Amino acid sequence: MASYNSIHQEGIEKKEPTPLEKHVMFFDINKDGVIYPWETYQGFRKIGSGIFLSVFASIFINAGLSRKTRPGKWPSLLFPIEVKNIKLAKHGSDSGVYDTEGRFVPEKFEEIFKKHARSNANALTAQELDEMLKANEQPKDSKGRIAALSEWKILYFLCKDKNGLLGKEKVRGVYDGSLFEQMAKEYQSKNCKWKKL
């Protein structure tokens, strides 16, 4: 019997992507289930990131996640990330908003803002973000701490508002996989307006 998250097409059972899979699918430019560094680069450029950040992110992300998402396979110098196995790349010292299967845990999401958003209930300042990262640190987990720090700092850099606040809806969009599509549309719209001038 099919699970709740399954879709039937022509007698073939196809599972609906988890929120964690949706989170990374934006970067699978050719939609083949594998994300290569050049696709990660293109994805970051599509959301308006500069060349330096896009190059750094593509190397850091793919080098860090490729091996974990390809269990039992030889390492590849192309550093591919397999979307279907992204749950295997979960790291320690994180927020716990994704469970071990890559599903969204609403209570953990709300906990971020209940515990750390003191100046504004619906946003995090840079200092509050640092405090959250410190609170999530696990002993002897330098890789997890570096991964969490990088993810959240890039998110803050790209999504903070003019007052330096990282809004709750932006963070939710990261977790449900909608933020990157939204950012790409906004960036494309800005570019189209600029080209018309």
Side-chain angles (χ1 to χ4, degrees):
M1 185 170 179
S3 70
Y4 175 77
N5 288 333
S6 297
I7 301 169
H8 291 283
Q9 291 180 335
E10 299 173 14
I12 299 171
E13 186 178 307
K14 185 179 177 185
K15 289 187 176 179
E16 183 180 315
T18 65
L20 182 55
E21 289 168 344
K22 289 177 186 176
H23 169 77
V24 299
M25 286 169 70
F26 172 80
F27 297 94
D28 184 8
I29 303 296
N30 63 2
K31 307 301 179 208
D32 66 351
V34 180
I35 303 168
Y36 290 95
W38 51 90
E39 291 179 290
T40 304
Y41 173 83
Q42 290 173 38
F44 270 87
R45 294 294 286 154
K46 279 172 67 175
I47 61 174
S49 296
I51 292 172
F52 176 76
L53 177 59
S54 300
V55 168
F56 170 78
S58 64
I59 294 168
F60 181 79
I61 292 169
N62 283 73
L65 303 183
S66 178
R67 186 76 182 111
K68 293 176 183 177
T69 65
R70 304 177 71 245
K73 296 181 181 177
W74 287 97
S76 170
L77 293 178
L78 297 178
F79 299 111
I81 297 169
E82 293 189 16
V83 173
K84 68 180 181 181
N85 293 329
I86 195 66
K87 67 182 181 182
L88 302 175
K90 269 185 53 63
H91 56 78
S93 299
D94 71 356
S95 62
V97 175
Y98 290 128
D99 69 9
T100 56
E101 294 300 311
R103 295 173 298 224
F104 181 76
V105 182
E107 300 80 24
K108 288 288 188 182
F109 175 76
E110 293 298 333
E111 192 176 285
I112 291 172
F113 294 89
K114 284 178 185 168
K115 282 186 174 180
H116 304 288
R118 292 182 310 280
S119 58
N120 181 323
N122 293 310
L124 295 170
T125 65
Q127 183 180 352
E128 290 165 349
L129 179 59
D130 289 342
E131 289 167 5
M132 181 198 74
L133 289 167
K134 185 79 174 158
N136 289 341
E137 284 182 5
Q138 295 173 355
K140 299 179 183 177
D141 181 33
S142 57
K143 287 182 182 178
R145 286 196 301 271
I146 291 168
L149 178 72
S150 302
E151 292 165 357
W152 281 98
K153 289 295 184 175
I154 290 172
L155 176 63
Y156 182 81
F157 175 75
L158 293 174
C159 296
K160 68 182 177 189
D161 67 15
K162 62 184 180 187
N163 299 314
L165 296 173
L166 178 59
K168 187 175 186 177
E169 289 310 307
K170 295 276 188 188
V171 177
R172 186 187 303 276
V174 168
Y175 284 115
D176 69 20
S178 66
L179 179 65
F180 300 130
E181 290 291 345
Q182 177 190 341
M183 289 175 73
K185 285 177 188 170
E186 288 171 5
Y187 182 66
Q188 185 179 18
S189 175
K190 283 179 190 173
N191 275 351
C192 287
K193 286 177 187 173
W194 181 82
K195 287 175 184 174
K196 288 179 184 175
L197 295 177

